[in-house]
């Protein structure tokens, strides 16, 4: 039985990870965070079997805010005390009034919100929970291929995800004494609600750059996450999954 923490687990990649965690081991206990949409969390909860309902606890916490992140880690410690796996999947792009903001139009609040949500708060969550992670535990961050090969249209997002890559490697030494493995997944373009506003032209343009000629599926990323977590010799790795992006 493992006690598992998953952030942003009610949509796209996070939801797929949740389902994989439930089927990976029928004794896993999972705390699942989401940011805003309780209806979606309730729908997922209601769709679970009675046995799985007992294994999953949903908790709302806007992880773009330090105060809510602290309440969240307090809740996790109270509920679980000790934790085996931490999967930090939360990530946002720079947006204002629902529209993506690009370099040239950034204001400090927009920049800082992305860095805070994608990089600073994941760091503080790990710091808050450091004493509660079990020996041989696992930490898995959701980075992005944009953190390796930056997308200029998502500059601050790319910078934040590059930070996660550095964080993954930097933390290894701090957790060496407990043999805790720390890795990051770096997906390319994955078909999730995140991509829902993309036009057909945009899909076609991007698909031409991908050797598999399609966006990835959430399930494909989720399977990689679970395989990584279950493999005790993967440590300090940044694992790319992008179907051969930029293969020319
Ligand atoms: N999709 C891609 O192409 C792609 C590629 C590379 C990396 N990634 C990374 O993969 C992760 C998941 O992306 P996705 O595509 O699966 O996204 P998604 O389908 O849009 O899912 C978003 C999830 O994040 C939650 N969320 C949003 N704001 C939050 C906040 N402030 N605090 C806590 N939770 C919050 C949402 O919950 P509410 O709805 O309740 O707010 C929802 O559960 C992100 O880190 C993203 O950067 C995605």
């Amino acid at each position: 039985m493992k006690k598992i923490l998953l952030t942003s687990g009610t949509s796209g990649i996070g939801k797929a990870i949740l389902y994989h965690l439930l089927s990976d081991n029928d004794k896993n206990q999972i705390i699942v965070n989401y940011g805003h949409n309780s209806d979606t969390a309730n729908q997922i909860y209601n769709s679970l079997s009675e046995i799985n309902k007992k294994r999953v606890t949903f908790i709302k916490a806007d992880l773009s805010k330090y105060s809510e992140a602290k309440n969240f880690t307090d809740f996790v410690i109270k509920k679980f005390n000790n934790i085996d796996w931490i999967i930090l999947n939360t990530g946002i792009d720079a947006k204002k009034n629902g529209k993506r903001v690009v370099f040239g139009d950034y204001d400090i609040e927009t920049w800082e919100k992305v860095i805070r949500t994608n990089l600073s708060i994941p760091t503080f969550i790990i710091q808050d929970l450091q004493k509660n992670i079990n020996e041989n535990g696992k930490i898995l961050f959701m980075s992005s291929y944009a953190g390796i090969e930056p997308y200029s249209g998502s500059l601050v997002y790319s910078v934040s995800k590059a930070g996660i890559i550095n964080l993954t490697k930097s933390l290894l030494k701090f957790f060496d004494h407990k043999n805790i493995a720390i890795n990051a997944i770096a997906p390319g373009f994955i078909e999730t609600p995140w991509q829902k506003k993309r036009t057909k032209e945009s899909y076609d343009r991007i698909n031409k750059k991908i050797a598999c000629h399609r966006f990835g599926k959430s399930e494909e990323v989720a399977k990689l996450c679970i395989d990584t977590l279950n493999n005790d010799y993967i440590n300090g790795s940044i694992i790319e999954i992008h179907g051969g992006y930029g293969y020319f």
Side-chain angles (χ1 to χ4, degrees):
M1 190 269 271
K2 290 190 177 61
K3 293 182 188 170
I4 302 169
L5 174 59
L6 167 65
T7 67
S8 296
T10 56
S11 175
I13 295 169
K15 186 165 81 169
I17 294 173
L18 169 62
Y19 290 142
H20 272 72
L21 289 172
L22 284 168
S23 56
D24 184 53
N25 180 324
D26 64 10
K27 292 191 175 56
N28 286 343
Q29 294 284 326
I30 310 158
I31 292 177
V32 185
N33 151 266
Y34 62 96
H36 312 90
N37 194 334
S38 300
D39 286 347
T40 305
N42 287 335
Q43 273 170 24
I44 296 172
Y45 180 78
N46 289 330
S47 72
L48 298 176
S49 67
E50 290 309 311
I51 290 175
N52 283 346
K53 277 182 182 151
K54 294 198 178 88
R55 300 166 55 204
V56 177
T57 306
F58 284 93
I59 172 158
K60 184 175 172 184
D62 179 347
L63 297 180
S64 69
K65 296 180 176 150
Y66 288 112
S67 57
E68 294 203 27
K70 182 70 177 71
N71 290 341
F72 172 61
T73 53
D74 287 349
F75 172 87
V76 171
I77 291 169
K78 209 167 163 195
K79 170 109 186 135
F80 272 177
N81 188 35
N82 57 325
I83 305 152
D84 295 293
W85 290 358
I86 299 179
I87 307 161
L88 297 183
N89 171 59
T90 305
I92 59 167
D93 202 351
K95 282 194 181 152
K96 222 171 176 185
N97 303 322
K99 286 204 169 147
R100 196 147 64 94
V101 190
V102 296
F103 179 78
D105 294 327
Y106 287 146
D107 53 48
I108 289 172
E109 287 72 30
T110 309
W111 174 275
E112 286 190 337
K113 185 175 178 187
V114 176
I115 297 292
R116 191 167 66 240
T117 310
N118 295 3
L119 179 59
S120 309
I121 285 182
T123 310
F124 279 90
I125 288 176
I126 297 301
Q127 184 169 276
D128 280 354
L129 297 176
Q130 57 179 318
K131 294 195 175 73
N132 303 84
I133 308 173
N134 282 334
E135 288 214 1
N136 306 316
K138 306 282 171 84
I139 298 170
L140 188 67
F141 292 109
M142 191 57 65
S143 181
S144 168
Y145 192 58
I148 298 168
E149 290 291 336
Y151 308 151
S152 53
S154 295
L155 189 151
V156 64
Y157 175 81
S158 300
V159 169
S160 71
K161 294 294 191 179
I164 283 292
I165 288 170
N166 197 293
L167 177 69
T168 300
K169 292 171 186 280
S170 302
L171 283 175
L172 285 178
K173 206 115 200 141
F174 291 94
F175 288 99
D176 194 20
H177 63 295
K178 281 169 115 181
N179 194 34
I180 290 167
I182 308 166
N183 295 291
I185 305 293
F189 290 87
I190 309 301
E191 191 62 68
T192 73
W194 182 293
Q195 308 286 0
K196 69 179 178 226
K197 288 195 179 147
R198 204 171 278 288
T199 61
K200 183 177 178 312
E201 287 67 34
S202 170
Y203 271 109
D204 291 347
R205 183 172 45 78
I206 292 166
N207 282 339
K208 279 190 192 135
K209 296 182 184 169
I210 301 173
C212 289
H213 299 296
R214 65 170 176 84
F215 280 33
K217 297 176 188 154
S218 297
E219 292 70 26
E220 290 167 328
V221 180
K223 184 175 181 307
L224 178 65
C225 291
I226 307 306
D227 289 346
T228 302
L229 288 159
N230 276 319
N231 189 321
D232 291 335
Y233 201 60
I234 302 182
N235 197 2
S237 294
I238 312 306
I239 303 156
E240 299 175 13
I241 174 164
H242 49 54
Y245 183 81
Y247 72 113
F248 288 110

